[in-house]
Amino acid sequence: MSLLTFEEEVKWEDSGKFGLFSKNCCNALNTVRAFFLNRVIQFRYEEPKGAKYLCKKNTFNDFVDVANWLIEDRKITKPSMLSCEGRSAGGLLIGASINQAPELFKIAILGVPFVDVVCTMIDASIPLVSLSVILLYQHYSLALALTKPLFFSVQTVVEWEEWGNPNEEKYHQYMMEYSPINNVQSKVYPACLLTGGLHDPRVQFWEPAKFAAELRHSQAEGSGPVCVKMDMSAGHFSASDRYKYLKELAFDFAFLLDQLELSTIEKGE
């Protein structure tokens, strides 16, 4: 057993709403990930209400603090066995967090990650988010499942209510301070898997590609591999049929277990 299974809901004083766009996130362990029990840690993070506009960096600070808490305070894990995952806006969280404290993580999985914040947000025509799926997919953990999403696109202008308008100087400067693609440093980074879809209308396929290129160019010697998987037939939500969806999950899990050196099981285990 590499690590204990860990599940604990983080409660905040303001217990009204959590998650990006102030939406509640359900607390559940998906059965697809049941084999992770007694192998790797599963931890779920919810973004505190109010972490937006010029307070957005609180989100990334909180996430890094949680990782430190798991390692230093609870001693449940160690950096060589700790992974993190986020999709879409959750990919922004992961990208910003590994820029801030890459030494805390062994693996980072970024699915269709929103990492070129200013360039994307400055374009008012992009349908950046689907309102109806916010409740379903804003999980910053391994426990991520999408079931029967309903699509209702809104324009980037609506997103300015969450992030701020980068056409205004104060928001532009603030976004540049945390935008993952603009803050890669010459440090040792964890192994990274970035996925994208050629037909994604919300996070264009070049965002994970550009971030991967920046990581490969800037990260220090000794960093983990930076891998990009581009689905040439998918949009923002990857595979729509069950079997392809499970294959996509298997690919992510294979990368995770390989980098954790858990891809083989010795006889007797």
Side-chain angles (χ1 to χ4, degrees), residues 197-239:
L198 182 64
H199 305 289
D200 190 337
R202 294 170 177 80
V203 180
Q204 299 290 338
F205 66 88
W206 54 75
E207 290 206 35
K210 287 170 64 178
F211 190 47
E214 188 61 41
L215 285 169
R216 290 169 179 169
H217 174 73
S218 301
Q219 66 185 11
E221 185 177 352
S223 297
V226 178
C227 302
V228 179
K229 181 175 182 291
M230 195 65 62
D231 192 321
M232 305 303 286
S233 62
H236 193 61
F237 300 102
S238 187

Side-chain angles (χ1 to χ4, degrees), residues 79-83 102 104-108 189-192 259-261:
S80 62
M81 295 298 291
L82 183 60
S83 65
L104 294 179
F105 305 99
K106 175 68 174 177
I107 305 110
Y189 274 75
C192 295
Q259 293 301 311
L260 288 174
E261 299 181 357

Side-chain angles (χ1 to χ4, degrees), residues 13-25:
E13 288 186 11
D14 185 353
S15 58
K17 293 180 179 179
F18 303 95
L20 190 64
F21 312 104
S22 299
K23 298 297 181 180
N24 291 318
C25 300

Side-chain angles (χ1 to χ4, degrees), residues 169-181:
E169 183 178 3
K170 65 178 180 179
Y171 292 118
H172 183 279
Q173 293 299 327
Y174 190 74
M175 289 178 179
M176 288 294 289
E177 292 175 8
Y178 67 75
S179 176
I181 204 169

Side-chain angles (χ1 to χ4, degrees), residues 26-259:
C26 56
N27 186 13
L29 173 66
N30 192 290
T31 55
V32 173
R33 293 151 180 85
F35 79 96
F36 277 112
L37 297 177
N38 295 334
R39 285 181 178 229
V40 296
I41 192 168
Q42 172 139 342
F43 182 75
R44 176 170 168 266
Y45 171 78
E46 292 183 345
E47 179 181 345
K49 181 180 179 182
K52 58 183 183 179
Y53 292 130
L54 299 178
C55 296
K56 191 65 186 178
K57 285 190 283 187
N58 291 347
T59 306
F60 320 130
N61 296 336
D62 286 350
F63 193 83
V64 170
D65 286 344
V66 166
N68 272 311
W69 177 73
L70 290 170
I71 295 166
E72 300 295 338
D73 294 354
R74 291 296 294 268
K75 300 189 185 303
I76 291 174
T77 186
K78 53 187 177 181
S80 62
M81 295 298 291
L82 183 60
S83 65
C84 55
E85 179 184 6
R87 280 184 54 86
S88 194
L92 163 62
L93 171 67
I94 301 305
S97 297
I98 62 174
N99 278 340
Q100 181 175 333
E103 71 279 0
L104 294 179
F105 305 99
K106 175 68 174 177
I107 305 110
I109 299 178
L110 301 90
V112 291
F114 173 43
V115 287
D116 196 3
V117 178
V118 174
C119 285
T120 299
M121 290 294 293
I122 214 164
D123 185 349
S125 66
I126 298 175
L128 197 57
V129 73
S130 177
L131 288 177
S132 60
V133 300
I134 291 171
L135 288 174
L136 297 176
Y137 87 108
Q138 288 302 335
H139 286 252
Y140 305 127
S141 69
L142 292 173
L144 171 68
L146 297 178
T147 55
K148 300 181 181 178
L150 302 174
F151 296 97
F152 179 78
S153 295
V154 293
Q155 302 303 306
T156 303
V157 172
V158 178
E159 295 299 287
W160 292 345
E161 298 178 5
E162 176 73 25
W163 314 88
N165 182 357
N167 294 292
E168 299 179 25
E169 183 178 3
K170 65 178 180 179
Y171 292 118
H172 183 279
Q173 293 299 327
Y174 190 74
M175 289 178 179
M176 288 294 289
E177 292 175 8
Y178 67 75
S179 176
I181 204 169
N182 300 106
N183 290 279
V184 178
Q185 305 174 60
S186 181
K187 294 182 177 180
V188 176
Y189 274 75
C192 295
L193 172 63
L194 300 97
T195 66
L198 182 64
H199 305 289
D200 190 337
R202 294 170 177 80
V203 180
Q204 299 290 338
F205 66 88
W206 54 75
E207 290 206 35
K210 287 170 64 178
F211 190 47
E214 188 61 41
L215 285 169
R216 290 169 179 169
H217 174 73
S218 301
Q219 66 185 11
E221 185 177 352
S223 297
V226 178
C227 302
V228 179
K229 181 175 182 291
M230 195 65 62
D231 192 321
M232 305 303 286
S233 62
H236 193 61
F237 300 102
S238 187
S240 58
D241 68 271
R242 177 176 57 184
Y243 296 108
K244 186 177 178 183
Y245 171 64
L246 293 176
K247 288 180 180 178
E248 297 294 316
L249 285 178
F251 185 93
D252 292 351
F253 294 168
F255 180 84
L256 174 70
L257 293 175
D258 178 68
Q259 293 301 311

